[in-house]
C-alpha cells in the first residue's frame, strides 16, 4: 500500500513539474497589432496597425514606437481572451502628430465589464504612460479610449508596444458583437390617407405663415382645414396653409385629407404668440454629407429628394444650408473667392450660391422651409466669413431672402474674447472654446443675434451651436434660442452616438415647446463630411439612435446625401409612430429612470397620458429578461403596450401583475408606447 502511494505521489509531482515546464515553454507573447483590429470602433478614420491615425510612425512625447494600435478617441476594441491571457502591457499616450491642438483622452481597460485600469486624462506632450494589467480568468477584454473632456476632435491615441502574455495560445479573436445585416421594421404606409404633420404650430403675429398638411397615402389627395382663423387659407391640392395672423390667440383647426382609398382627419392647434418651434424642427442639413462642398445645386437636389422620396409626407420640413455658402478667407477654391461683403456691409453669398432669395422661393414652393448658418465670430468654423460686427445686416439679409432657420455657431468668437479676432479656430483650437465657460461672455453674442432675429418680420428658428458651454440649456431661452447643441460634433460611430446619448440627462428638464436640447444631427444613410460612405453605425445602432433622438425631443436633422437614400434608411426615417414621439406637443424630454447592467430605460411623458419607453441596450450582449418594474416607468393600473417600430399592439398588461418579455439586441433598442386603458 505504502509503495503504491509513494509511486502515486511521485507521479503527481512529476506531472506537476512537466505541466509547469510545458506552461513555461508554451507561455507566449501575442502583440496587439497581430490581431484583427478592424473590429474596433473609433471616432474618426480607420484602426491603424503600427502607425498613427495619420499613417505616421507612432510617436508619444518625442518617443517613437515600432508597434502598436493607432486609434482615434472615442474608441473601443473587444477581444475574446477566454481566460487565456495572463497580462497585458502597453505604453499609451496622445500621438505628437496633433501638435497645435489640445487633445485630451483617457485610456481604459475593462475586463468582463469591470474597469481594470485607467491612464487618467492624457494630453499632448505627456510622456507615454505604462499600462500593466493582470488578466487571469478574464473572458472578454475591452480597450477603450474615452474623451478626456475636450470634445475629442484631435485625439489621436496610441496603444504603443501593446502585447499580451498568454497561457500558450498564439492569437485572440477580436469581435464586434452587433449584427451587420440591415432589417426593416416599419410597415409600409397604407394607401388610405394618414396625416402626419405636428399637432401644434406656433407663429408670431404678422409673420408669414407656412404649414404643410403632411400626409401619406395614394395621390391624388385633396386637403381641407376647417376652423382656420381669418388671414389663413389652405391650398386644397398641395395641403399648404399660408397667410398671416394679425393677432395673438389659439385656434383649433380640423385638418382633412381625402383620396380614392379613404379619408383622414386630425386636429391642429395654431398658437399665435411669441413662441415658435413648438415641436422639434425636422429636416435636413448639408454638413454631415457635403461639408465644404455644398452648393445651391446640391441644396436644390436635396430639396427635390425630400419630396420625391416621400419624406415630406412624414413631416420632414427644413432644408438647412450649413457652413460654406459664404466666401472664404483664404481658400484656394475659386468658387469661394470673392468679396465678403458689399460697401454697405451686406454679406455676399459665394458664386456656388448666387441669389439666395431665388433658392428660398424654390424651397418654399415645394412646401418646405429653408435654413442658413453663421458664426458670431468673424469667421465660421470652416473659415468663411461670420457675422461679427454685422449682426444686424445679416439678420436683415436672412429675413429679406426668406430664410426660416439660423444655426449660429460659436467658432472664432473665442478669438474675439481673446482680443485676437483674426485667428482661425481650426488652426488654434484652444481659441474656439475661449470665453465659452464664462457665463456673461458665452451669452453675449447669442443675445445680440437673437434680438435682431426677433426684430425681423418673419419667424426664424434660432439654433445655438456652442457645444453646450456654460450650460446653454439654462439660458438659451433667454436669448430667444429655440434649440441648442448640448455636445460636440457627432460622428457616424457607435462611440460617438453612445457618448452623446449618455450625456443628455443633465439638460433634459429644460426641454419644452420652443426650447429643444440638440445632441447634433442624425448620422444615418450616406454621410461623410465631403467624403461619402454609408454610416458606420450598425442597423441596431441606427434604430437606437433614431429612437433616442425621438425620446430626447431633439431636432431631427437628417445628415445624409438625400439622393442616396437606401431602403433601410428611408424606412428608418418614415416611421410615423416613432416621429410622433419626437413631435409630441407636451414637449417633454425622456430621461433614464432605471439602469439594469448596461440596459438603460428611458421614459418620455406624452400629452395623452401615455409614456414612450425606450429599453436601450448599450452593452455588447443581448438582454433577454422578463420586465416587471412598471412603477419605475411611472405607470399604474392597466395599460396597452405598443411596439412603435413594428407598429403593433403587443399586449394589455396590468402593472400590478403583468410582465413583459424583452429581447433587446446588443447596441439596440425596444421602443414601446404605454397607453392607459380606461
Ligand atoms: C462646427 C459645427 C458643425 C458644423 C461645422 C461647420 O464644427 O459643430 O455642426 O456646422 O462647424 O464648419
Amino acid at each position: 500500500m505504502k509503495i503504491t502511494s509513494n509511486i502515486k505521489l511521485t507521479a503527481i509531482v512529476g506531472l506537476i513539474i512537466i505541466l509547469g515546464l510545458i506552461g513555461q515553454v508554451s507561455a507566449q507573447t501575442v502583440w496587439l497589432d497581430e490581431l484583427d483590429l478592424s473590429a474596433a470602433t473609433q471616432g474618426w478614420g480607420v484602426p491603424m496597425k503600427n502607425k498613427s491615425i495619420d499613417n505616421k510612425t507612432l510617436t508619444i512625447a518625442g518617443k517613437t514606437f515600432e508597434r502598436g494600435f493607432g486609434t482615434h478617441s472615442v474608441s473601443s476594441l473587444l477581444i475574446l481572451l477566454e481566460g487565456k491571457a495572463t497580462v497585458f502591457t502597453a505604453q499609451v499616450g496622445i500621438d505628437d502628430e496633433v501638435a497645435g491642438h489640445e487633445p485630451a483622452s483617457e485610456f481604459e481597460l475593462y475586463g468582463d465589464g469591470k474597469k481594470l485600469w485607467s491612464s487618467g486624462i492624457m494630453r499632448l506632450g505627456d510622456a507615454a504612460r505604462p499600462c500593466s494589467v493582470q488578466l487571469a480568468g478574464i473572458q472578454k477584454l475591452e480597450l477603450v479610449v474615452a474623451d478626456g473632456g475636450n470634445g475629442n476632435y484631435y485625439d489621436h491615441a496610441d496603444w504603443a508596444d501593446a502585447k499580451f502574455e498568454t497561457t500558450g495560445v498564439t492569437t485572440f479573436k477580436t469581435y464586434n458583437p452587433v449584427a451587420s445585416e440591415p432589417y426593416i421594421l416599419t410597415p409600409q404606409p397604407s394607401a388610405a390617407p394618414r396625416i402626419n404633420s405636428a399637432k401644434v404650430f406656433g407663429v408670431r403675429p404678422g409673420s408669414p405663415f407656412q404649414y404643410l398638411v403632411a400626409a401619406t397615402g395614394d395621390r391624388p389627395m385633396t386637403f381641407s382645414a376647417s376652423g382656420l382663423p381669418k388671414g389663413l387659407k389652405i391650398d386644397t391640392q398641395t395641403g399648404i396653409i399660408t397667410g398671416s395672423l394679425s393677432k395673438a390667440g389659439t385656434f383649433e383647426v380640423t385638418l382633412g385629407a381625402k383620396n380614392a382609398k379613404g379619408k383622414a382627419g386630425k386636429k391642429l392647434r395654431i398658437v399665435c404668440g411669441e413662441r415658435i418651434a413648438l415641436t422639434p424642427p425636422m429636416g435636413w442639413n448639408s454638413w454631415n454629407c457635403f461639408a465644404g462642398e455644398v452648393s445651391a445645386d446640391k441644396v436644390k437636389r436635396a430639396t427635390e429628394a425630400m419630396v420625391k422620396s416621400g419624406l415630406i409626407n412624414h413631416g420632414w420640413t427644413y432644408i438647412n444650408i450649413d457652413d460654406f455658402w459664404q466666401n472664404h478667407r483664404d481658400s484656394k477654391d475659386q468658387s469661394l473667392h470673392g468679396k465678403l461683403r458689399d460697401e454697405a456691409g451686406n454679406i455676399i453669398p459665394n458664386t456656388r450660391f448666387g441669389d439666395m432669395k431665388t433658392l428660398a422661393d424654390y424651397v418654399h414652393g415645394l412646401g418646405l422651409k429653408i435654413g442658413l448658418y453663421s458664426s458670431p465670430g468673424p469667421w465660421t468654423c470652416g473659415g468663411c466669413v461670420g457675422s461679427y460686427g454685422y449682426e444686424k445686416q445679416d439678420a436683415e439679409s436672412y429675413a429679406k431672402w426668406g430664410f426660416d432657420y439660423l444655426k449660429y455657431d460659436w467658432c472664432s468668437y473665442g478669438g474675439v474674447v481673446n482680443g485676437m479676432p483674426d485667428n482661425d479656430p481650426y488652426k488654434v483650437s484652444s481659441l474656439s472654446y475661449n470665453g465659452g465657460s464664462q457665463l456673461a461672455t458665452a451669452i453675449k453674442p447669442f443675445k445680440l443675434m437673437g434680438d435682431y432675429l426677433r426684430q425681423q418680420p418673419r419667424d426664424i428658428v434660432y439654433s445655438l451651436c456652442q457645444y453646450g458651454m456654460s450650460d446653454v440649456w439654462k439660458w438659451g431661452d433667454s436669448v430667444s434660442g429655440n434649440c441648442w447643441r448640448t455636445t460636440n460634433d457627432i460622428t457616424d460611430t457607435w462611440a460617438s452616438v453612445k457618448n452623446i446619448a449618455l450625456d443628455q440627462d443633465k439638460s433634459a428638464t429644460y426641454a419644452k415647446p420652443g426650447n429643444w436640447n440638440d445632441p447634433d444631427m442624425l448620422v444615418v444613410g450616406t454621410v461623410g463630411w465631403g467624403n461619402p460612405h454609408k454610416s458606420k453605425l450598425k442597423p441596431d445602432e441606427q434604430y437606437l439612435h433614431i429612437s433616442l433622438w425621438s425620446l430626447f425631443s431633439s431636432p431631427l436633422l437628417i445628415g445624409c446625401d438625400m439622393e442616396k437614400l437606401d431602403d433601410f434608411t428611408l424606412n428608418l426615417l418614415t416611421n410615423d409612430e416613432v416621429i410622433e414621439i419626437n413631435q409630441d406637443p407636451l414637449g417633454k424630454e425622456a430621461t433614464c429612470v432605471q439602469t439594469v447592467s448596461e440596459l438603460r430605460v428611458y421614459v418620455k411623458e406624452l400629452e395623452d397620458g401615455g409614456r414612450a419607453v425606450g429599453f436601450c441596450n448599450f452593452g455588447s450582449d443581448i438582454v433577454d429578461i422578463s420586465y416587471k418594474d412598471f412603477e419605475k416607468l411611472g405607470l399604474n393600473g392597466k395599460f396597452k403596450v405598443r411596439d412603435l417600430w413594428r407598429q403593433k399592439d403587443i399586449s394589455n398588461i396590468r402593472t400590478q401583475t403583468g410582465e413583459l418579455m424583452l429581447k433587446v439586441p446588443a447596441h439596440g433598442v425596444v421602443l414601446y408606447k404605454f397607453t392607459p386603458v380606461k
Side-chain angles (χ1 to χ4, degrees):
M1 280 295 276
K2 207 168 174 207
I3 296 170
T4 336
S5 39
N6 272 346
I7 292 171
K8 261 191 192 159
L9 194 65
T10 317
I12 290 168
V13 171
L15 196 64
I16 290 172
I17 291 170
I18 290 166
L19 283 177
L21 281 175
I22 292 174
Q24 266 183 17
V25 170
S26 58
Q28 174 100 27
T29 300
V30 173
W31 290 80
L32 182 63
D33 57 79
E34 292 170 335
L35 309 187
D36 175 9
L37 300 180
S38 67
T41 62
Q42 55 186 42
W44 187 84
V46 288
M48 300 296 284
K49 281 190 177 187
N50 306 326
K51 290 282 180 200
S52 68
I53 275 293
D54 284 347
N55 199 18
K56 297 190 186 135
T57 304
L58 297 162
T59 314
I60 303 170
K63 189 170 173 202
T64 56
F65 299 86
E66 272 178 27
R67 303 193 75 161
F69 165 33
T71 185
H72 192 297
S73 146
V74 177
S75 130
S76 153
L77 175 65
L78 285 156
I79 305 164
L80 209 56
L81 298 180
E82 296 173 310
K84 291 175 183 150
T86 53
V87 65
F88 174 77
T89 54
Q91 301 278 327
V92 303
I94 304 284
D95 198 285
D96 288 358
E97 71 191 0
V98 289
H101 299 291
E102 291 201 342
S105 291
E106 188 162 5
F107 295 73
E108 295 165 346
L109 234 61
Y110 290 83
D112 298 331
K114 287 200 194 82
K115 199 187 243 186
L116 303 177
W117 179 82
S118 156
S119 64
I121 305 279
M122 295 203 66
R123 298 178 197 283
L124 180 72
D126 287 349
R129 285 192 193 150
C131 162
S132 174
V133 176
Q134 298 298 319
L135 295 176
I138 300 288
Q139 303 296 309
K140 292 176 185 166
L141 184 73
E142 187 177 10
L143 267 57
V144 171
V145 188
D147 175 24
N150 72 330
N152 60 272
Y153 278 119
Y154 299 100
D155 298 3
H156 296 200
D158 298 339
W159 295 90
D161 274 356
K163 54 182 182 298
F164 298 91
E165 296 310 325
T166 82
T167 56
V169 294
T170 54
T171 190
F172 294 113
K173 267 202 188 126
T174 58
Y175 66 104
N176 188 318
V178 189
S180 314
E181 272 310 297
Y183 60 100
I184 301 266
L185 289 182
T186 307
Q188 281 299 311
S190 116
R194 183 189 198 275
I195 300 178
N196 301 312
S197 40
K199 293 176 187 152
V200 60
F201 183 72
V203 64
R204 295 186 308 156
S207 292
F209 186 102
Q210 187 180 323
Y211 174 96
L212 172 76
V213 184
T216 44
D218 285 358
R219 271 30 185 196
M221 192 179 280
T222 51
F223 299 90
S224 61
S226 63
L228 275 182
K230 195 164 155 269
L232 301 186
K233 60 174 192 321
I234 185 164
D235 179 324
T236 56
Q237 301 306 301
T238 60
I240 306 176
I241 303 175
T242 53
S244 82
L245 294 171
S246 55
K247 279 200 222 96
T250 300
F251 309 94
E252 302 290 342
V253 177
T254 305
L255 305 174
K258 209 165 123 191
N259 68 7
K261 298 283 166 38
K263 56 184 183 182
K266 188 169 180 171
K267 295 260 181 269
L268 166 67
R269 194 162 71 242
I270 297 174
V271 187
C272 181
E274 282 316 299
R275 294 185 79 77
I276 58 169
L278 299 185
T279 60
M282 289 173 65
W284 173 85
N285 173 295
S286 60
W287 185 251
N288 289 358
C289 55
F290 299 129
E293 304 293 316
V294 68
S295 66
D297 180 51
K298 285 181 174 144
V299 171
K300 267 185 162 177
R301 277 159 39 199
T303 311
E304 286 155 11
M306 187 71 104
V307 178
K308 259 196 230 143
S309 64
L311 280 169
I312 188 174
N313 301 330
H314 299 269
W316 298 92
T317 304
Y318 289 92
I319 298 291
N320 291 348
I321 306 164
D322 208 277
D323 210 351
F324 286 86
W325 62 271
Q326 325 85 322
N327 279 306
H328 198 273
R329 49 186 274 166
D330 56 10
S331 167
K332 294 191 181 65
D333 183 337
Q334 279 305 318
S335 62
L336 301 173
H337 269 194
K339 256 179 110 181
L340 306 176
R341 295 181 177 276
D342 68 14
E343 278 65 36
N346 298 313
I347 190 158
I348 306 175
N350 64 43
T351 53
R352 296 181 193 164
F353 279 88
D355 185 356
M356 298 300 262
K357 182 161 186 324
T358 308
L359 183 59
D361 288 348
Y362 181 76
V363 173
H364 289 147
L366 291 180
L368 297 168
K369 297 190 177 181
I370 185 161
L372 211 54
Y373 167 96
S374 190
S375 167
W379 308 108
T380 64
C381 291
C384 294
V385 65
S387 295
Y388 181 61
Y390 297 91
E391 295 81 358
K392 184 163 186 282
Q393 275 112 317
D394 283 359
E396 286 168 359
S397 294
Y398 309 150
K400 199 172 70 197
W401 294 336
F403 275 74
D404 307 293
Y405 192 111
L406 176 70
K407 172 174 169 185
Y408 206 46
D409 192 346
W410 177 266
C411 300
S412 64
Y413 195 80
V416 174
V417 177
N418 225 31
M420 300 158 76
D422 267 352
N423 273 306
D424 183 335
Y426 268 6
K427 291 187 185 136
V428 192
S429 73
S430 57
L431 283 185
S432 58
Y433 295 94
N434 200 290
S437 54
Q438 295 139 251
L439 189 62
T441 321
I443 291 178
K444 192 176 161 196
F446 288 103
K447 167 102 175 68
L448 188 65
M449 182 53 100
D451 288 348
Y452 285 130
L453 289 179
R454 286 179 74 85
Q455 286 165 20
Q456 304 311 312
R458 64 180 296 118
D459 294 349
I460 300 180
V461 172
Y462 188 27
S463 156
L464 317 184
C465 178
Q466 47 83 290
Y467 341 114
M469 296 186 293
S470 286
D471 293 355
V472 58
W473 44 91
K474 295 184 180 156
W475 51 266
D477 189 31
S478 74
V479 301
S480 309
N482 297 114
C483 46
W484 38 79
R485 283 270 296 277
T486 52
T487 58
N488 270 299
D489 291 16
I490 198 166
T491 60
D492 58 326
T493 60
W494 167 242
S496 169
V497 169
K498 176 179 173 183
N499 247 15
I500 290 179
L502 297 186
D503 202 27
Q504 296 311 304
D505 278 357
K506 62 185 183 198
S507 46
T509 54
Y510 293 87
K512 60 176 183 295
N515 291 155
W516 312 108
N517 290 305
D518 176 4
D520 207 0
M521 298 171 284
L522 304 176
V523 276
V524 300
T526 300
V527 289
W529 299 267
N531 196 356
H533 59 257
K534 285 234 162 135
S535 171
K536 286 184 242 154
L537 294 181
K538 299 283 174 66
D540 281 316
E541 295 169 344
Q542 299 194 37
Y543 280 118
L544 181 62
H545 177 32
I546 301 295
S547 302
L548 275 172
W549 267 234
S550 297
L551 287 161
F552 290 155
S553 305
S554 311
L556 295 180
L557 293 171
I558 303 169
C560 70
D561 185 338
M562 296 290 289
E563 292 185 303
K564 292 194 183 131
L565 284 164
D566 54 276
D567 288 351
F568 174 77
T569 309
L570 199 56
N571 190 265
L572 197 62
L573 298 173
T574 51
N575 191 312
D576 298 308
E577 297 193 20
V578 175
I579 293 172
E580 231 163 63
I581 298 304
N582 175 266
Q583 296 287 302
D584 188 74
L586 194 60
K588 297 270 188 191
E589 177 170 340
T591 51
C592 175
V593 299
Q594 187 184 14
T595 305
V596 187
S597 184
E598 292 197 82
L599 181 79
R600 289 167 68 88
V601 186
Y602 283 87
V603 177
K604 173 171 163 145
E605 256 180 81
L606 302 172
E607 190 186 46
D608 66 2
R611 300 267 193 283
V613 180
F615 297 93
C616 303
N617 185 358
F618 288 92
S620 38
D621 293 309
I622 184 169
V623 169
D624 194 347
I625 52 169
S626 123
Y627 187 84
K628 303 187 205 159
D629 297 340
F630 301 107
E631 336 70 68
K632 294 220 164 87
L633 310 180
L635 299 173
N636 273 307
K638 198 162 184 244
F639 278 80
K640 187 174 93 180
V641 187
R642 187 161 173 87
D643 181 330
L644 296 180
W645 279 110
R646 292 176 178 80
Q647 301 186 350
K648 255 193 202 148
D649 286 343
I650 56 162
S651 66
N652 283 322
I653 49 165
R654 240 171 237 295
T655 52
Q656 312 301 325
T657 50
E659 61 180 317
L660 271 179
M661 303 314 287
L662 285 180
K663 262 199 179 136
V664 195
H667 297 187
V669 67
V670 164
L671 182 63
Y672 286 163
K673 180 176 173 190
F674 293 74
T675 313
V677 180
K678 305 237 159 63

